[in-house]
Amino acid sequence: YQRRVRATLRGLARGMSVFKLLLLELVVIVLVYLVLGISYKRFVLGARGVEQIPNLAFWKSCKEGVEATVDKVRGGSSDVGGVRSDEVHVTRTLAMNDDDERLIM
């Protein structure tokens, strides 16, 4: 029995690259984090529904950041925090032009 287990483990170790092992560890860590966090918020704090997700505000902000990045890569303007990226560019350009005019005078 032990020989079969050792042979199986050796086969798994040879077949998995470092990247696959790190990815597997990351998935396991995230799953443990979610299970423990959701359990704590549900049974200790009495949360229900979406409120059970640990650090919900952080995950929502990550979602907004990813959406803004995808929009920017696709060539659109992103709208993060109520300010669009093309508005920020125009404001910076106007501010630089004001500085230039002051230097000329």
Side-chain angles (χ1 to χ4, degrees):
Y1 175 76
Q2 288 181 355
R3 288 182 183 179
R4 280 191 242 160
V5 171
R6 287 182 186 162
T8 303
L9 291 176
R10 277 191 226 126
L12 285 175
R14 272 190 244 139
M16 295 186 79
S17 66
V18 173
F19 178 74
K20 286 181 182 178
L21 287 172
L22 290 175
L23 186 62
L24 180 63
E25 288 176 10
L26 179 67
V27 168
V28 169
I29 288 170
V30 168
L31 287 174
V32 168
Y33 165 77
L34 287 173
V35 167
L36 292 177
I38 289 171
S39 298
Y40 174 77
K41 289 188 89 174
R42 180 178 183 104
F43 298 114
V44 175
L45 301 179
R48 296 284 184 243
V50 179
E51 297 172 354
Q52 296 177 74
I53 299 173
N55 297 312
L56 182 60
F58 169 76
W59 295 115
K60 283 184 178 180
S61 70
C62 286
K63 177 186 171 227
E64 292 172 0
V66 169
E67 287 173 347
T69 303
V70 168
D71 189 38
K72 192 71 171 172
V73 167
R74 289 183 178 169
S77 63
S78 59
D79 184 10
V80 176
V83 179
R84 292 178 25 180
S85 62
D86 53 352
E87 290 174 356
V88 172
H89 178 69
V90 169
T91 305
R92 286 183 187 155
T93 305
L94 290 175
M96 289 187 335
N97 289 340
D98 289 343
D99 291 340
D100 292 342
E101 289 176 10
R102 287 185 213 141
L103 291 174
I104 294 173
M105 295 179 171

